[in-house]
């Protein structure tokens, strides 16, 4: 398992410079690459509020995995996480965050609150990924869903792997995609407030 750690964090200093600024940790990676294990470690080491989408989807929908509900759950958890940052708490978001736009939107939201950001990118090869998935399915089926080799290959082809500049904080946050004036507006579109 390879884990990359983001270096200098972004954001603006809030008043009370001696106070520690909260950090938003973003775990990035495909299924079964170790994101939740890393998030649990961050939760303890950094006293962070851990927000793991799969736990919520499983608790609410059991064997179902509706994509429309996933987006809403992610959005609600993001809002909780941003409020926790605003209150001075560290937060770790454990969703996968496969698109650069998702990561940019969250980096900007954290910066707007004066929080730091660390990206943790986790990756494993396809054989190890399949082995981990099979083991999880056998040992803890209540924590995951079946995933075919075709799905895993499709997802691997679709992820925007973080650049070194994203990981070390040297790249500025991108502008929002065309049609969106702000990242906040894009976030509301990407993570709607309710199931339609």
């Amino acid at each position: 398992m390879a884990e990359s750690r983001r270096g200098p964090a972004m954001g603006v200093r809030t008043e009370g410079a001696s106070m520690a600024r909260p950090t938003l940790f973003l775990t990035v990676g495909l299924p079964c690459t170790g994101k939740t294990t890393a998030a649990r470690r961050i939760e303890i080491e950094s006293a962070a509020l851990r927000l793991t989408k799969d736990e919520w989807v499983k608790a609410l929908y059991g064997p179902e995995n509706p994509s429309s509900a996933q987006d809403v759950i992610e959005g609600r958890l993001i809002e909780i996480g941003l409020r926790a940052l605003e209150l001075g708490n560290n937060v770790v978001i454990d969703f996968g965050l496969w698109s650069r736009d998702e990561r940019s939107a969250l980096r900007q939201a954290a910066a707007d609150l004066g929080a730091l950001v660390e990206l943790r990118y986790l990756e494993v090869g396809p054989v190890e990924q399949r082995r981990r998935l099979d083991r999880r399915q056998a040992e803890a089926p209540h924590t995951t869903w079946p995933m075919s080799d075709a799905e895993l290959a499709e997802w691997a082809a679709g992820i925007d792997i973080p650049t070194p500049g994203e990981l070390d904080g040297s790249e500025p946050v991108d502008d929002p995609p065309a049609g969106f004036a702000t990242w906040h507006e894009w976030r509301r579109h990407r993570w709607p407030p309710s199931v339609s």
Side-chain angles (χ1 to χ4, degrees), residues 61-84:
Y61 293 96
E64 303 294 319
N65 193 7
S67 61
S68 61
Q70 285 186 45
D71 294 343
V72 172
I73 290 169
E74 285 183 9
R76 300 312 315 148
L77 293 177
I78 287 167
E79 292 306 312
I80 291 167
L82 294 177
R83 179 62 178 140

Side-chain angles (χ1 to χ4, degrees), residues 7 84 88 93 95 98 102 109 119 137 142 147 171 175-176 178 190:
I93 291 183
F95 295 172
W98 297 351
E102 291 171 332
L119 266 68
Q137 199 67 51
H142 62 284
M147 298 173 216
E171 281 182 26
D175 290 333
R190 168 61 184 88

